[in-house]
């Protein structure tokens, strides 16, 4: 019964998202496009943090690699939307696979710091490889996506939003299926007790490398979404702040609950970029206050909190 209710709610949410360009102005579609890109990045990170127990501070690296790949392909090869997307997915996954061979041999604090180090190296490389990345100026003048080979560039925000919504839903479905597959169950066992999984004959190295590559590929897809919306990419898209925002979205939303990461990404984006802009650029300060409040009041995040139990407890305390 609960599963059926969740399915109905999910379908209704998707229908509401599809209807956004038909009801709201273009600015709303543009804002939600940015939310979807960060949400897919957060969902891919939640596959590592919440499902597999592999906290990362460097998830901006495959995101940025995917973004640069999509930008270069759209500018120099073909702007037909599936082409930059697929190559960004391959680039993000390959980057994670190559770097993961080294990183997944560690765990805990060492893994956390190594992910940060790799991301910082990628950030510095993007700043200094001017011929490829444009250096600190970034890549601009990226053509708008087309929805047919050799077709007209998409100029309507609503059409672009629908394309990005499709990419997000496919990426979310991939992560959702992974988390609930046999691989996902093995990853939860890895998260709970890696030594026991190893003693049962599982190759923990192979499990961790596989999920790291999948998360990197989905992060690459999020990077292509970011470029399709902004038509600009710079080394700041590989910076620590991007990784921190994704991790903050996961924590606020609730680790291990994929839809919570989506909710957290929406909250982070709206508070930092929209509400913060109306408060004289104090978005990061407000975001920090929101994070502190969530940690103290909802330690399991929005998705991990039993709201019925919490409201019942508050009612009982009020009656007492």
């Amino acid at each position: 019964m609960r599963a059926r209710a969740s399915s109905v709610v999910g379908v209704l949410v998707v229908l509401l998202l599809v209807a956004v360009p038909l009801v709201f102005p273009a600015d709303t579609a543009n804002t939600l496009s940015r939310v979807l890109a960060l949400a897919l990045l957060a969902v891919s990170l939640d596959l590592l943090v919440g499902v597999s127990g592999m906290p990362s501070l460097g998830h901006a690296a495959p995101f940025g690699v995917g973004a640069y790949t999509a930008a270069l392909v759209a500018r120099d090869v073909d702007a037909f939307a599936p082409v930059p997307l697929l190559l960004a997915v391959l680039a993000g996954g390959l980057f994670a696979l190559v770097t993961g061979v080294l990183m997944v041999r560690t765990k805990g604090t060492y893994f956390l710091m190594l992910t940060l180090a790799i991301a910082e190296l990628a950030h510095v490389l993007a700043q200094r490889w001017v011929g490829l990345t444009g250096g600190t100026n970034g890549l601009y003048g990226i053509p708008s996506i087309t929805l047919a080979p050799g077709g007209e560039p998409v100029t309507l925000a609503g059409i672009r939003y629908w394309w990005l919504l499709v990419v997000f839903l496919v990426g979310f479905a991939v992560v959702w299926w992974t988390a609930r597959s046999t691989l996902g169950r093995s990853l939860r066992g890895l998260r709970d007790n890696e030594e026991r999984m190893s003693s049962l004959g599982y190759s923990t190295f192979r499990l961790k490398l596989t999920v790291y590559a999948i998360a990197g590929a989905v992060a690459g897809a999020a990077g292509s979404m970011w470029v399709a919306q902004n038509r600009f990419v710079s080394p700041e898209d590989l910076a620590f702040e991007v990784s921190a925002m994704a991790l903050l979205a996961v924590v606020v939303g609730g680790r291990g609950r994929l839809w919570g990461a989506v909710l957290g990404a929406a909250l982070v984006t709206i508070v930092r970029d929209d509400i913060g802009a109306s408060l004289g650029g104090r978005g990061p300060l407000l975001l920090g206050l929101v994070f502190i409040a969530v940690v103290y009041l909802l330690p399991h995040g929005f998705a991990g909190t039993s709201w019925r139990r919490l409201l019942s407890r508050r009612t009982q305390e009020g009656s007492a």
Side-chain angles (χ1 to χ4, degrees):
M1 190 68 178
R2 183 177 298 179
R4 182 179 299 178
S6 299
S7 299
V8 171
V9 171
V11 171
L12 290 176
V13 170
V14 171
L15 292 176
L16 288 174
L17 289 174
V18 170
V20 164
L22 303 176
V23 179
F24 296 99
D27 287 345
T28 302
N30 288 329
T31 298
L32 286 180
S33 295
R34 290 186 285 109
V35 169
L36 290 175
L38 181 60
L40 188 58
L41 177 64
V43 167
S44 68
L45 180 59
D46 198 20
L47 183 61
L48 292 178
V49 177
V51 177
S52 309
M54 299 167 60
S56 172
L57 281 175
H59 211 52
F63 174 82
V65 168
Y68 269 108
T69 300
L72 290 168
V73 170
R75 189 190 67 178
D76 301 334
V77 181
D78 194 349
F80 177 43
V83 176
L85 170 64
L86 292 177
L87 290 177
V89 169
L90 290 174
L94 184 60
F95 176 86
L97 184 65
V98 172
T99 58
V101 170
L102 171 65
M103 288 191 287
V104 300
R105 296 182 186 275
T106 62
K107 58 183 179 179
T109 304
Y110 297 103
F111 176 81
L112 187 72
M113 298 310 297
L114 198 53
T115 59
L116 176 60
I118 293 295
E120 286 301 305
L121 287 173
H123 182 209
V124 172
L125 181 62
Q127 288 179 323
R128 297 189 178 181
W129 198 349
V130 179
L132 182 68
T133 66
T136 55
N137 293 325
L139 294 178
Y140 48 88
I142 301 168
S144 181
I145 59 171
T146 66
L147 297 182
E152 292 295 321
V154 173
T155 56
L156 295 177
I159 302 296
R160 182 171 55 246
Y161 165 80
W162 277 329
W163 162 251
L164 296 180
L165 179 60
V166 169
V167 175
F168 168 78
L169 291 175
V170 172
F172 185 90
V174 168
V175 176
W176 182 88
W177 178 84
T178 301
R180 283 158 179 75
S181 65
T182 302
L183 172 62
R185 290 192 289 271
S186 300
L187 293 172
R188 287 184 172 85
L190 186 70
R191 175 196 64 192
D192 296 336
N193 195 324
E194 182 174 343
E195 288 74 15
R196 184 175 183 181
M197 291 293 291
S198 181
S199 67
L200 291 174
Y202 288 90
S203 172
T204 57
F205 171 79
R206 187 178 302 172
L207 285 173
K208 291 194 289 186
L209 185 60
T210 299
V211 71
Y212 197 75
I214 293 173
V218 177
S224 74
M225 293 173 63
W226 188 257
V227 168
Q229 170 59 32
N230 297 320
R231 296 173 59 190
F232 174 76
V233 62
S234 75
E236 294 310 305
D237 294 318
L238 293 99
F240 171 73
E241 182 182 359
V242 177
S243 298
M245 291 300 102
L247 186 58
L248 180 60
V250 171
V251 174
V252 169
R255 290 176 296 172
R257 307 295 183 93
L258 300 180
W259 68 269
V262 178
L263 183 62
L267 180 65
V268 167
T269 302
I270 293 172
V271 169
R272 185 191 64 173
D273 298 341
D274 296 323
I275 299 178
S278 64
L279 296 176
R282 295 183 176 87
L285 175 61
L286 181 59
L287 196 58
L289 295 175
V290 169
F291 177 67
I292 293 172
V294 169
V295 168
Y296 277 95
L297 300 177
L298 304 173
H300 301 291
F302 285 102
T305 300
S306 176
W307 291 96
R308 182 179 300 176
R309 185 180 303 173
L310 182 63
L311 291 174
S312 176
R313 184 184 304 172
R314 297 299 185 193
T315 303
Q316 292 175 359
E317 291 176 354
S319 300

